[in-house]
Amino acid sequence: MRRLARLIFIVYTLLRFGVDEVALSGFRQRWVRAIARVVTVGRRFDEPRGARLRQALERLGPIFVKFGQVLSTRRDLLPLDVADELARLQDRVPPFPGQQAIALVERAFGKPITELFESFDAEPVASASIAQVHFATLKGGREVAVKVLRPGMLASIDSDINLLHTLARWAERVWVESKRLKPREVVAEFDNYLHDELDLVREAANAAQLRRNMAPLNLLIVPEMVWELCTTNVIVMERMKGVPISQIDRLRAAGVDIKKLARDGVTIFFTQVFRDGFFHADMHPGNIQVSVEPATLGRYIALDFGIIGTLTEFDKEYLAQNFLAFFQRDYKRVAELHVESGWVPPTTRVDALESAIRAVCEPHFDRPLKDISLGQVLMRLFQTSRRFNVEIQPQLVLLQKTLLNIEGLGRQLDPDLDLWTTAKPFLERWMNEQVGWRGLLERLKHEAPRYAQMLPELPRLVHQALAARAASEPAAMHALLAEQRRTNKLLQGLIYGTLGFVAGLLAMQLFLIWRR
């Protein structure tokens, strides 16, 4: 009965905001369209469809707000006006009582709050759909931030997620756009993502990895986790003191170089993506502050590490080849890469895909660099890909969404920001490492320990393989053994030659030292 009541409330909310007017028009059944005509009689909506969908999701509660946020990253699936409106969704959720938060912290650690902290602010400083944050002071005086998961979230999420799965199955049966939009896969992706976000230890681990990666750069501050006070429901981290990046006047008054700040943001993002393959994928202004402390003036402060993007070696190789072909205006190679990667059906005409990609990319090469938007180029490529049934990978869509955020933030700080010039050194170095001689040497160095283990075993493995073959083919036994002896001599020669070369280098080095 509770599930039925919730479903009725969802339907009522969708009708109230006119979401059905857009959704039902895409169904193929005549009776569904007839219902759509009946329920829309006499209703007029002044606001566009994207705004109405956003308002409906906000009315339906935290889980649907989060679903809208995740859905906004799938610009390959949604119309642009809807995706842009969903990107405006904020976690407008009232905080739960401070005493309840204290009780949750005490339950998580099995101790009274007075034994854990010297002081604990019951009033939260931030409240979101999944958790809220309180400031506190540890024994000894260290200031920290305590993130507490909302109570009852798991049961609420499971209930609404089950409803979303049911609605997605219905939609796939009767909705025209279901083949392309894949509602069941989208809901499953959201399900995995949301349950991952419910584990705060995962977020803490993300923060620790990002902090370790970015430490040598000295451009980004990531709070340190207090690991002895981290559980799946509560995490405690170093308290960050900064100015929100959207408050440009305050930053300028504090002496921050705004133009350098914009360039540093691009540097941070491309370093995370092209060097580490591990990037903060929720870099909107609410999660970014800037330090105004004298020792760290102008350094970025990152918050909220629930959404982290990762790139595999295959993703990096694919991006490297595409960027290389893109800068050389080799659109045929870009099209071939889509086919080779399996992202388009093998029957796709390469020349047709090449022509479509050229139409997207070519106009940008004849414009001033500062007027080119790399994020917009990627977005248009994703739009074009729909015609060819391209299977866009979620991690690359997340990368594109984050790039749009960074680009918009950078241009807000510095309207003349030249993203291409700032990013080009990273792209060139990264492509060289991926597809050039440096890349080959790096891979050889990476595989060297494995080779060192395999080489001594190689003669024995070769002998076993030859013996097995000789046993099955007695006539070829002598020839195979002779081949084995020649192989052993060759390996011995290589080993002795390498040792001799190394010994010669050492002798030369000792001679030069002696001459000095």
Side-chain angles (χ1 to χ4, degrees):
M1 290 300 295
R2 285 196 299 268
R3 183 175 296 184
L4 178 61
R6 178 62 171 166
L7 183 59
I8 291 173
F9 176 73
I10 292 172
V11 172
Y12 166 76
T13 303
L14 296 179
L15 291 173
R16 176 185 171 187
F17 289 95
V19 177
D20 57 296
E21 183 182 18
V22 178
L24 294 180
S25 62
F27 284 80
R28 55 172 66 96
Q29 283 78 3
R30 292 182 179 179
W31 63 271
V32 176
R33 294 185 180 182
I35 293 175
R37 286 193 293 270
V38 171
V39 298
T40 56
V41 169
R43 290 191 300 164
R44 290 187 178 181
F45 302 99
D46 297 328
E47 294 184 285
R49 58 181 181 177
R52 287 185 275 126
L53 176 59
R54 173 179 57 80
Q55 293 168 6
L57 293 176
E58 289 174 345
R59 182 72 178 86
L60 288 172
I63 305 306
F64 284 84
V65 168
K66 185 62 68 175
F67 181 65
Q69 290 175 336
V70 173
L71 200 59
S72 70
T73 67
R74 299 304 305 268
R75 292 175 177 265
D76 58 315
L77 301 180
L78 297 177
L80 287 184
D81 61 318
V82 175
D84 289 339
E85 192 65 39
L86 292 181
R88 296 177 54 195
L89 279 172
Q90 301 295 325
D91 291 330
R92 300 173 185 173
V93 181
F96 56 89
Q99 291 303 317
Q100 191 174 12
I102 291 175
L104 290 171
V105 173
E106 290 179 336
R107 187 184 310 159
F109 299 112
K111 295 180 180 179
I113 199 76
T114 53
E115 291 186 19
L116 296 168
F117 303 99
E118 189 173 300
S119 65
F120 185 94
D121 296 340
E123 189 70 22
V125 295
S127 177
S129 59
I130 299 296
Q132 67 185 35
V133 179
H134 297 257
F135 286 153
T137 304
L138 294 176
K139 300 291 185 180
R142 184 183 182 186
E143 294 182 321
V144 294
V146 183
K147 189 168 186 177
V148 185
L149 195 69
R150 282 183 172 273
M153 284 301 299
L154 185 59
S156 174
I157 284 175
D158 287 341
S159 176
D160 279 350
I161 284 292
N162 287 335
L163 276 177
L164 287 175
H165 279 296
T166 301
L167 293 174
R169 286 195 296 270
W170 288 353
E172 282 203 350
R173 294 174 184 173
V174 297
W175 196 15
V176 176
E177 288 288 298
S178 63
K179 183 176 181 180
R180 183 176 66 84
L181 298 183
K182 301 178 180 177
R184 282 200 297 176
E185 291 185 17
V186 171
V187 172
E189 180 184 332
F190 173 61
D191 190 357
N192 292 332
Y193 155 76
L194 198 55
H195 279 85
D196 286 347
E197 195 173 3
L198 286 176
D199 183 358
L200 295 186
V201 172
R202 181 186 292 268
E203 178 177 343
N206 289 339
Q209 181 67 52
L210 195 64
R211 176 184 172 90
R212 187 161 51 250
N213 290 348
M214 300 306 296
L217 200 60
N218 289 324
L219 294 178
L220 179 68
I221 302 173
V222 178
E224 182 182 6
M225 295 293 139
V226 183
W227 283 109
E228 60 269 22
L229 294 176
C230 287
T231 69
T232 56
N233 299 325
V234 179
I235 57 174
V236 178
M237 69 192 80
E238 175 187 7
R239 178 177 174 178
M240 296 285 99
K241 296 180 180 179
V243 175
I245 197 168
S246 58
Q247 300 181 13
I248 299 176
D249 291 337
R250 282 185 61 189
L251 294 174
R252 190 176 283 113
V256 176
D257 185 340
I258 302 299
K259 288 185 178 291
K260 181 179 183 300
L261 190 66
R263 294 193 302 271
D264 288 348
V266 178
T267 301
I268 289 168
F269 173 72
F270 279 94
T271 301
Q272 290 178 9
V273 172
F274 297 114
R275 188 194 68 184
D276 304 325
F278 188 91
F279 59 95
H280 192 303
D282 198 18
M283 297 184 72
H284 60 76
N287 286 339
I288 303 175
Q289 296 180 355
V290 179
S291 174
V292 292
E293 299 291 326
T296 56
L297 181 66
R299 290 173 64 179
Y300 281 84
I301 298 173
L303 304 171
D304 195 348
F305 309 95
I307 306 177
I308 291 290
T310 58
L311 297 175
T312 66
E313 291 302 318
F314 177 81
D315 295 330
K316 287 184 177 183
E317 179 70 19
Y318 169 80
L319 287 173
Q321 295 281 359
N322 269 279
F323 273 117
L324 190 60
F326 177 73
F327 285 128
Q328 295 174 349
R329 303 196 189 192
D330 187 355
Y331 305 117
K332 182 177 181 180
R333 180 57 184 154
V334 175
E336 289 173 344
L337 286 167
H338 278 70
V339 177
E340 291 172 5
S341 65
W343 288 12
V344 295
T347 56
T348 301
R349 287 183 54 184
V350 172
D351 58 337
L353 183 56
E354 174 192 357
S355 178
I357 294 172
R358 181 183 295 108
V360 171
C361 301
E362 192 64 26
H364 294 275
F365 281 103
D366 296 325
R367 297 166 58 189
L369 286 175
K370 71 176 185 179
D371 296 333
I372 297 176
S373 168
L374 183 57
Q376 293 294 334
V377 171
L378 288 175
M379 187 166 63
R380 288 213 45 205
L381 280 174
F382 288 163
Q383 287 178 289
T384 302
S385 68
R386 295 179 189 174
R387 291 169 42 202
F388 298 90
N389 298 317
V390 175
E391 295 286 341
I392 301 298
Q393 304 302 303
Q395 69 274 20
L396 298 186
V397 177
L398 193 61
L399 172 64
Q400 180 259 347
K401 171 254 186 185
T402 308
L403 180 56
L404 282 174
N405 286 344
I406 292 296
E407 197 169 50
L409 182 62
R411 293 188 190 277
Q412 180 183 353
L413 295 172
D414 180 11
D416 295 325
L417 175 68
D418 189 340
L419 180 68
W420 287 76
T421 301
T422 307
K424 191 176 180 181
F426 291 95
L427 297 178
E428 289 179 339
R429 182 169 63 250
W430 179 59
M431 287 188 292
N432 185 36
E433 290 174 353
Q434 291 293 312
V435 299
W437 282 105
R438 287 182 60 187
L440 175 62
L441 293 176
E442 284 296 322
R443 283 190 287 273
L444 287 174
K445 185 166 62 175
H446 177 73
E447 295 290 340
R450 188 177 303 174
Y451 294 154
Q453 182 180 3
M454 292 171 57
L455 280 175
E457 300 175 359
L458 190 59
R460 177 175 55 81
L461 294 174
V462 171
H463 173 75
Q464 290 176 351
L466 292 174
R469 184 176 176 184
S472 60
E473 301 178 17
M477 180 174 165
H478 294 292
L480 291 175
L481 291 176
E483 183 66 27
Q484 181 185 4
R485 285 192 292 269
R486 285 194 295 269
T487 302
N488 289 340
K489 289 181 179 179
L490 177 60
L491 287 173
Q492 289 174 0
L494 287 173
I495 293 172
Y496 292 148
T498 302
L499 292 175
F501 179 70
V502 172
L505 288 177
L506 290 175
M508 184 179 297
Q509 188 68 24
L510 292 172
F511 177 73
L512 292 175
I513 294 173
W514 176 76
R515 287 291 301 272
R516 291 177 187 171

